[in-house]
Amino acid sequence: MRPRKNDSTKKLSTLEVLKFLAFRGEGSAWDYSGEPNLGNSNVIGTRSQSECHVFETRPGMPTELAVLQWQAMADAEFSVYVPYYTALLTEVSELYSTDTRPNKIDALTGDTEGQINTNFHIINYLCDMNRKTDPSVAAAVRKYVDTYQQSLIDQQEAVDEVMSRVYKHGLEAAQVAATGVGKDLAKQVSEMSNLLLAEIRAYFNGDKTEEFALSEELLALMPDYSIAEEYLPEHTWEVEFDEENHWNECPICGETQEAVAHTFVEKTDETNHWEECECGAVANKEGHTWVVKSDEENHWNECEVCGETQGTAKHTWVVKSDETNHWEECECGATANKEAHTYVEGVCSKCEAKDPTYVAPTPEKPGDTPSTGDDSHVMLYVGLMGLAVIAGIVLLKTKKSELN
C-alpha cells in the first residue's frame, strides 16, 4: 500500500483500509517491506499486534446492522479479517477460545488445535522472520490472504441484503442469523489457516530446493460467505406474480423463492373467457362473441372464440314456403322437412300454398248445361244450330216468292 499525499477526494477500498494496519512504508523512503517486524517505529504493521479490528459503518441500515466489525486475530499483514455483525452476536466460535499463547508453541511443529489466532500468529511469524532469507514465502502468503480477503468483501453486499430481510422478522431472528453465519465463517477460516500453516511448515521443514509456492488446492479454496438455511427465520409465504411468472414471497421481509413460468388453462363464465394460472394470474380476458348454433332438435348460443355455450332450447317450428317448396323453420334459422309443393286445383295439399301458375276454369252461366267436363257433343250442337238457321232462311225466301 503506497501513502497518498494531498488527495482528500480519493476513496480507499475496503481492502486498503483493512490492510492499513499492515502498512510497512511500501513505496516510501521508510520502506521496510523487506525487513523483519522487529518493532521498528517507522512501520505500522509489526509482530507486536495481538488483534486488529476495523469497524465499518454503513448509513441507512438498522442500528444493529449498521456497524460491521472486521476482525483479525493476529498481525494484519498475513491475516484474514473476518466480518461480524457484532451488535447481534450472542456467542462466538470456540475456534477463538484458547489459553495457549502462540509463542509457547513450536512454530514448525506445535499443535495449534485449529485455533484461528494461534494459526495466524505462527503464519505471521514464519513469513516475517524469513523475509530476507526466503521472501517467496511472505510474497505468496500475502497474495493469497489478500485474495481470500477480497472474496469476503465481494460477498458482503449479498449477505447484508439477506440480513436486512431477516432483521424484519425481529431482533431474535437477526441474532440467530448473525451468530450462525459468524460461526460458519470462523470454521472456514480455521480450516483454511490449518492448510496454509501446514504448507508453510512443510516448506521450512523440507530441503527448500525450490521456491515456495502454494498448492493448487489451497489457491482454489475461497470462502463461501452466506447465511445457511438453518439460521433463517420461518417465512410466511404468499404467492406473487407478474405477466410471465409466479413465485412465493414473504410479506414480512420480502424474501422470494425461485420464479416459475405461468401454466395457463382456459376459463369461462357466462360473460367472459380468459386464461388463468393456478397461481391466480389472469390473461386475455374478454367478453364472449356469440353466434347461434343448432342441431336437429335444439339451438343455442356459442362463443366462436372459446366454445362456451348458453341458452339451449328446443326448436319451435313454423311452416315456411316459396313458389317451389315448403319446409319447417325455427326462429334460430334451422330448417327441416323441405320438399316440393303438391298442388291440387292450385293449392298445395300439405302447406296450402297457392300455385302461382294456376288458372281457374271460367264459371258457367245459370241454365247452362252443367259442365261435365265432356266436350264431345259441342260440335253436334253447333251443327244443328247452323242447319236450323239455313232452313229458316230458305223458308223465308220461299214465302216471298209465292207472294210475288
Side-chain angles (χ1 to χ4, degrees):
M1 176 176 178
R2 296 180 180 273
R4 305 184 184 279
K5 296 181 179 179
N6 302 321
D7 188 3
S8 60
T9 62
K10 177 66 179 180
K11 289 188 66 175
L12 297 177
S13 69
T14 302
L15 182 61
E16 287 176 321
V17 173
L18 297 181
K19 290 303 178 179
F20 180 77
L21 294 178
F23 181 59
R24 294 174 50 76
E26 293 91 339
S28 72
W30 300 277
D31 190 339
Y32 285 88
S33 58
E35 299 289 337
N37 285 331
L38 299 178
N40 192 299
S41 61
N42 293 318
V43 299
I44 298 174
T46 70
R47 265 194 293 118
S48 62
Q49 295 171 339
S50 178
E51 296 179 10
C52 297
H53 302 261
V54 174
F55 294 87
E56 179 184 0
T57 58
R58 289 89 57 80
M61 298 186 72
T63 302
E64 289 84 357
L65 301 177
V67 178
L68 189 70
Q69 179 180 356
W70 296 88
Q71 177 175 307
M73 298 304 295
D75 309 36
E77 186 173 9
F78 303 104
S79 294
V80 171
Y81 288 83
V82 182
Y84 288 100
Y85 296 96
T86 308
L88 293 169
L89 295 182
T90 57
E91 57 182 303
V92 296
S93 171
E94 294 180 353
L95 294 169
Y96 289 117
S97 302
T98 180
D99 295 328
T100 304
R101 294 181 62 82
N103 59 0
K104 300 297 183 181
I105 297 175
D106 189 300
L108 294 177
T109 61
D111 182 9
T112 67
E113 300 178 350
Q115 293 294 311
I116 295 173
N117 53 345
T118 306
N119 280 348
F120 279 114
H121 273 290
I122 294 176
I123 290 169
N124 273 272
Y125 173 80
L126 293 174
C127 291
D128 180 49
M129 292 303 294
N130 293 280
R131 287 181 190 275
K132 279 192 170 183
T133 58
D134 220 326
S136 64
V137 178
V141 173
R142 174 65 182 268
K143 182 178 180 181
Y144 174 68
V145 296
D146 284 359
T147 302
Y148 195 97
Q149 186 73 72
Q150 187 61 54
S151 178
L152 285 171
I153 294 169
D154 292 341
Q155 296 177 73
Q156 184 60 54
E157 183 177 356
V159 176
D160 280 340
E161 290 179 1
V162 176
M163 282 298 299
S164 294
R165 292 195 293 269
V166 171
Y167 185 80
K168 293 178 181 179
H169 285 266
L171 182 61
E172 184 176 347
Q175 290 173 332
V176 170
T179 302
V181 71
K183 286 186 173 183
D184 284 353
L185 272 184
K187 182 178 179 181
Q188 292 184 59
V189 173
S190 171
E191 292 172 351
M192 177 274 286
S193 62
N194 284 337
L195 293 174
L196 179 58
L197 179 57
E199 292 194 11
I200 296 171
R201 282 176 164 179
Y203 176 76
F204 284 119
N205 287 324
D207 54 20
K208 297 186 288 185
T209 55
E210 296 182 1
E211 186 176 89
F212 176 77
L214 295 174
S215 68
E216 292 298 324
E217 177 187 3
L218 183 57
L219 290 174
L221 182 61
M222 288 290 121
D224 176 13
Y225 183 16
S226 59
I227 302 175
E229 190 72 27
E230 63 184 294
Y231 306 132
L232 296 176
E234 184 175 349
H235 296 292
T236 303
W237 298 115
E238 293 182 359
V239 178
E240 298 290 341
F241 54 81
D242 57 21
E243 292 183 356
E244 297 182 354
N245 303 296
H246 55 259
W247 61 90
N248 289 327
E249 183 170 320
C250 177
I252 299 174
C253 66
E255 176 74 10
T256 61
Q257 294 181 324
E258 182 179 2
V260 178
H262 294 310
T263 301
F264 286 111
V265 295
E266 292 185 354
K267 296 280 189 175
T268 65
D269 60 17
E270 294 181 354
T271 308
N272 304 294
H273 53 253
W274 64 90
E275 295 174 320
E276 185 171 315
C277 180
E278 62 180 352
C279 72
V282 173
N284 303 320
K285 187 172 185 177
E286 59 183 4
H288 293 306
T289 303
W290 298 114
V291 293
V292 178
K293 296 282 187 175
S294 64
D295 58 20
E296 292 182 355
E297 296 183 355
N298 304 295
H299 55 258
W300 60 89
N301 290 326
E302 184 171 310
C303 178
E304 61 182 358
V305 177
C306 69
E308 175 74 4
T309 63
Q310 66 173 204
T312 300
K314 294 285 186 181
H315 292 310
T316 302
W317 300 112
V318 294
V319 177
K320 297 280 187 175
S321 66
D322 58 17
E323 294 181 355
T324 307
N325 303 294
H326 54 251
W327 61 90
E328 293 177 318
E329 184 172 312
C330 179
E331 61 180 350
C332 72
T335 62
N337 303 319
K338 189 173 184 178
E339 61 183 1
H341 294 306
T342 302
Y343 289 118
V344 176
E345 295 184 353
V347 178
C348 179
S349 62
K350 293 186 176 181
C351 71
E352 300 183 352
K354 304 296 183 182
D355 182 357
T357 64
Y358 176 72
V359 177
T362 303
E364 298 178 352
K365 296 179 180 179
D368 289 346
T369 302
S371 174
T372 65
D374 184 2
D375 296 330
S376 60
H377 299 297
V378 172
M379 295 306 295
L380 177 60
Y381 295 149
V382 172
L384 290 174
M385 290 177 65
L387 289 174
V389 171
I390 294 172
I393 294 172
V394 172
L395 180 59
L396 182 59
K397 285 183 177 183
T398 302
K399 289 184 175 183
K400 286 184 177 181
S401 298
E402 293 178 352
L403 290 174
N404 292 329

